Amino acid sequence: MKYPARSVSFLLFLILLHTAGLSAQEAPSSWSGTPHYRRDGVDMQLEGTVVANTGQGWESYYVAVQPYFQLDTTHITAYTGMQLTSGTFDLTGGLSVYPWVWKLAKVGFAGRYNLNYYNDISLTNNFLLGAAAEVRPLSWIGAKASVSALFKSRSIFAIDRTQPYLYDLCQAFSVELDFYLPWDITTYISVASYERYRYMVAVAPSFTLGATKQLPRDFYAGIEAAVRYTDFFTASAFYDSCEIRLTGGWKF
């Protein structure tokens, strides 16, 4: 019995379509998957960090504790956290909004606020507002960058009667490269004029190298080291301090 050529072609097309559908369903969703930023739902994470600081520079502490919370959607990232030390207290909160989201990148605006209380010395308010972008052209590499204006308002208790506030307006920036490795390991390296609980002028950057490992039941662990400089972009570049951080967290 002979079948019409058109019927045979249509049958082959259905078989190929069904096979492609099964392959798509069985494709792994790990680091080797196709990168994209279009996702549904809300992702949240709770994080705790223990810090060891050399105490050589502006920071006078040697040990710090940092609780942290973050919420992510396709177009919004919001976070808050604090740093507790023997001599300082920091509170940070921020919001990033990405109106433009494509398959491999997203661009938007970012704002951040930091309160730094230095026991018996000063109280500082830091405000950042600028643009932010993320890109992941390949499954194993991504990049993040931001440029902002940093407004600092500081009250030094010893002179607050004659000079209640000191103001400063300067630039702030951050650049980060992320590498997504097998076994659910992510490594990253960044250079930035500010950190989560440290806000300096643009010529005093921090260089950070770190890694995180995804654990069972949506837990993760990480380690990172930050090396800080002052006057880095001049002939008098000076090493300031170093900080090591151990992190544990849960995504849900």
Side-chain angles (χ1 to χ4, degrees):
M1 181 177 181
K2 295 183 179 180
Y3 294 91
R6 181 176 298 178
S7 299
V8 173
S9 300
F10 182 72
L11 180 61
L12 290 175
F13 172 75
L14 290 178
I15 293 173
L16 290 174
L17 184 62
H18 179 68
T19 303
L22 291 177
S23 300
Q25 293 175 7
E26 296 172 358
S29 58
S30 62
W31 67 278
S32 60
T34 303
H36 63 87
Y37 283 106
R38 295 192 178 277
R39 62 185 189 275
D40 298 321
V42 177
D43 299 323
M44 292 182 282
Q45 65 186 71
L46 285 172
E47 185 178 286
T49 302
V50 178
V51 180
N53 190 289
T54 56
Q56 297 167 305
W58 167 252
E59 293 77 18
S60 60
Y61 59 87
Y62 293 96
V63 178
V65 178
Q66 300 173 349
Y68 180 77
F69 171 79
Q70 181 169 311
L71 180 148
D72 286 293
T73 69
T74 303
H75 295 277
I76 295 175
T77 295
Y79 53 88
T80 184
M82 64 179 66
Q83 177 175 261
L84 305 171
T85 78
S86 59
T88 63
F89 169 78
D90 278 86
L91 177 66
T92 295
L95 177 68
S96 300
V97 180
Y98 297 94
W100 303 283
V101 178
W102 301 279
K103 184 177 181 180
L104 303 180
K106 58 182 181 179
V107 177
F109 308 98
R112 179 181 295 212
Y113 168 73
N114 168 259
L115 170 70
N116 171 263
Y117 175 71
Y118 207 129
N119 289 1
D120 302 324
I121 295 178
S122 65
L123 178 67
T124 305
N125 294 279
N126 298 295
F127 301 89
L128 280 85
L129 184 62
E134 296 184 17
V135 61
R136 191 174 174 184
L138 301 172
S139 62
W140 57 273
I141 189 171
K144 303 173 185 177
S146 69
V147 58
S148 306
L150 169 59
F151 176 75
K152 300 176 71 71
S153 171
R154 190 179 187 197
S155 176
I156 301 176
F157 302 145
I159 61 171
D160 60 358
R161 291 187 178 181
T162 58
Q163 187 69 41
Y165 297 100
L166 300 175
Y167 301 102
D168 189 21
L169 180 63
C170 59
Q171 295 177 334
F173 71 92
S174 68
V175 179
E176 177 179 314
L177 283 177
D178 301 317
F179 301 93
Y180 305 96
L181 308 179
W183 305 291
D184 293 321
I185 295 176
T186 300
T187 62
Y188 52 91
I189 183 171
S190 69
V191 54
S193 63
Y194 60 92
E195 300 175 29
R196 191 178 290 175
Y197 305 106
R198 186 177 192 262
Y199 296 82
M200 307 293 286
V201 295
V203 295
S206 300
F207 295 84
T208 303
L209 175 65
T212 60
K213 171 70 170 80
Q214 191 67 38
L215 303 175
R217 299 184 179 180
D218 295 324
F219 289 95
Y220 63 92
I223 182 173
E224 67 179 24
V227 181
R228 298 156 171 171
Y229 288 85
T230 60
D231 300 322
F232 184 81
F233 302 104
T234 67
S236 59
F238 180 76
Y239 163 78
D240 182 70
S241 62
C242 179
E243 192 165 278
I244 306 294
R245 309 180 186 115
L246 297 176
T247 298
W250 175 46
K251 295 182 179 180
F252 58 98

